[in-house]
Amino acid sequence: MFTRDIGIDLGTANTLVCIRGKGIVMREPSVVAYEARNDIVRAVGTEAKEMIGRTPGSILAVRPIKDGVIADFDVTAAMLKKFIKQALHGSIFTRVRVMICVPVGVTEVESRAVLNAAVQAGVSANNICLIPEPKAAAIGAGLPVEESAGCMVVDIGGGTSEVAVLSLGDIVTAQSVRVAGDKLDEAIINYIRKTHNMLIGERTAEQIKIELGSAIPFEGEGSMEVKGRNLVDGLPKSIVITAKEVREAMQDTVSQIIDAVRLTLEKTPPELSADIIDRGITLTGGGALLRGLDKLMSDETGIPVFVADNPLDCVVLGTAKELEKTDFTEDRHYKKYRHY
């Protein structure tokens, strides 16, 4: 029997799992499909995501993580249990030790909910550690967080955007806003409803964002056909939407993310501000892939902005690195939550 150390990036849109010494072993959407009558889980991850918007009344396909925190405790616990079992390929070990990423702005109650969900999933409370997402993202992006110089990371996920300045291995100042990829999708849905009198689903909005979304005009931008339901007569309808329209739809949401960056910079000590001017700002998370966001953010702040080499995996990669040096029996941050 062995002890396995597992790192979990419990995201609003996707959950990534890594195992100490093995790297990333699983990447699945944070979606659960279950029967409404008896709460029996029918599917988790990719299979469940395919069911969103297509289930009968007896089956619910939900995302139990909302804005970076747990919205449905029991469903989250069931999802964690499935993911941990899947990551371990069904193997049974004497002990499983888990490090879970949480947004920097979570309350004590929200942190406790994550801990309790992991306990309900079968992990001992003595073997659970929480790590702030921006710290994990900075480590995963290869930033020198342990040095006595400032570095800044902006992690734009599905539910939250985390902005943090780090130095000497910890967060100096941070800002967490519950505006990220989901809000961009929501903005697209609202724009099409108001402008074209048509209703589309979340998956369609996400596809539009990926194919046409941008923060600034880009070369070769085009258009795509979008299908949905006509709000006037209730019949199926298709329209053609352009990249310019999508950019207009997302403009306010993108501005809120940049405002969070500005606010964090205003709270940064002067010495660290000088370091950030030299080192720039690093973007991580799925939102970092939005075309032109780095350029727009650089223009708005006057600071160089870079997209991490592997933005989608930075948080879980940073968690994997932290696992290598974490002592679960002595870690101070872990002891803060261990007795709940």
Side-chain angles (χ1 to χ4, degrees), residues 33-66:
Y34 65 95
E35 295 182 8
R37 296 175 187 173
N38 48 25
D39 292 340
I40 295 177
V41 175
R42 291 285 297 269
V44 176
T46 303
E47 185 181 353
K49 185 177 181 180
E50 294 296 323
M51 299 180 183
I52 291 179
R54 296 173 174 170
T55 58
S58 59
I59 298 176
L60 298 177
V62 298
R63 293 167 60 179
I65 310 295
K66 180 72 173 175

Side-chain angles (χ1 to χ4, degrees), residues 35-332:
E35 295 182 8
R37 296 175 187 173
N38 48 25
D39 292 340
I40 295 177
V41 175
R42 291 285 297 269
V44 176
T46 303
E47 185 181 353
K49 185 177 181 180
E50 294 296 323
M51 299 180 183
I52 291 179
R54 296 173 174 170
T55 58
S58 59
I59 298 176
L60 298 177
V62 298
R63 293 167 60 179
I65 310 295
K66 180 72 173 175
D67 295 336
V69 297
I70 293 176
D72 192 317
F73 178 81
D74 292 328
V75 175
T76 301
M79 182 179 74
L80 271 176
K81 189 173 184 178
K82 288 274 188 182
F83 285 160
I84 291 172
K85 185 177 179 181
Q86 184 178 334
L88 297 174
H89 303 293
S91 300
I92 300 175
F93 298 90
T94 53
R95 257 195 325 173
V96 174
R97 302 190 298 190
V98 177
M99 179 179 286
I100 304 177
C101 300
V102 293
V104 74
V106 294
T107 64
E108 196 75 21
V109 173
E110 291 165 342
S111 296
R112 189 185 308 178
V114 174
L115 177 66
N116 290 340
V119 170
Q120 189 168 322
V123 183
S124 168
N126 292 331
N127 295 321
I128 304 169
C129 180
L130 304 181
I131 180 174
E133 279 181 19
K135 180 179 178 180
I139 295 170
L143 299 181
V145 296
E146 299 294 337
E147 295 181 7
S148 60
C151 54
M152 187 171 187
V153 64
V154 181
D155 180 48
I156 307 171
T160 61
S161 293
E162 311 277 314
V163 187
V165 175
L166 301 99
S167 179
L168 292 172
D170 211 345
I171 295 173
V172 178
T173 183
Q175 184 77 11
S176 178
V177 291
R178 298 189 177 183
V179 177
D182 286 351
K183 292 295 183 183
L184 292 173
D185 296 342
E186 190 178 310
I188 293 171
I189 292 173
N190 291 336
Y191 179 88
I192 292 178
R193 183 176 67 240
K194 292 176 182 178
T195 307
H196 298 281
N197 285 322
M198 190 177 84
L199 184 64
I200 61 172
E202 293 177 9
R203 293 179 60 200
T204 302
E206 185 180 19
Q207 184 181 1
I208 294 170
K209 178 181 67 179
I210 293 171
E211 292 193 21
L212 297 180
S214 68
I216 58 176
F218 63 97
E219 186 178 351
E221 61 181 42
S223 60
M224 66 179 288
E225 184 183 21
V226 179
K227 299 173 183 176
R229 190 179 78 224
N230 193 328
L231 290 172
V232 177
D233 56 20
L235 298 176
K237 177 183 178 181
S238 68
I239 61 168
V240 174
I241 189 167
T242 64
K244 183 180 179 181
E245 288 182 285
V246 177
R247 188 163 52 251
E248 181 182 338
M250 300 191 300
Q251 185 175 2
D252 289 343
T253 307
V254 171
S255 295
Q256 290 180 56
I257 297 173
I258 294 176
D259 286 343
V261 175
R262 279 205 195 97
L263 185 58
T264 307
L265 287 169
E266 289 174 6
K267 295 180 178 180
T268 303
E271 295 294 342
L272 297 183
S273 295
D275 296 332
I276 293 170
I277 291 174
D278 294 335
R279 295 183 171 185
I281 300 171
T282 301
L283 294 182
T284 66
L289 299 175
L290 183 66
R291 298 176 187 87
L293 180 59
D294 53 342
K295 179 69 166 60
L296 179 63
M297 191 175 293
S298 180
D299 291 343
E300 293 288 333
T301 61
I303 298 172
V305 179
F306 310 98
V307 178
D309 290 339
N310 199 358
L312 290 171
D313 299 341
C314 282
V315 172
V316 74
L317 289 173
T319 307
K321 291 179 181 178
E322 278 295 285
L323 278 173
E324 297 289 340
K325 59 181 182 180
T326 297
D327 185 341
F328 280 77
T329 62
E330 297 181 359
D331 187 86
R332 288 177 298 162

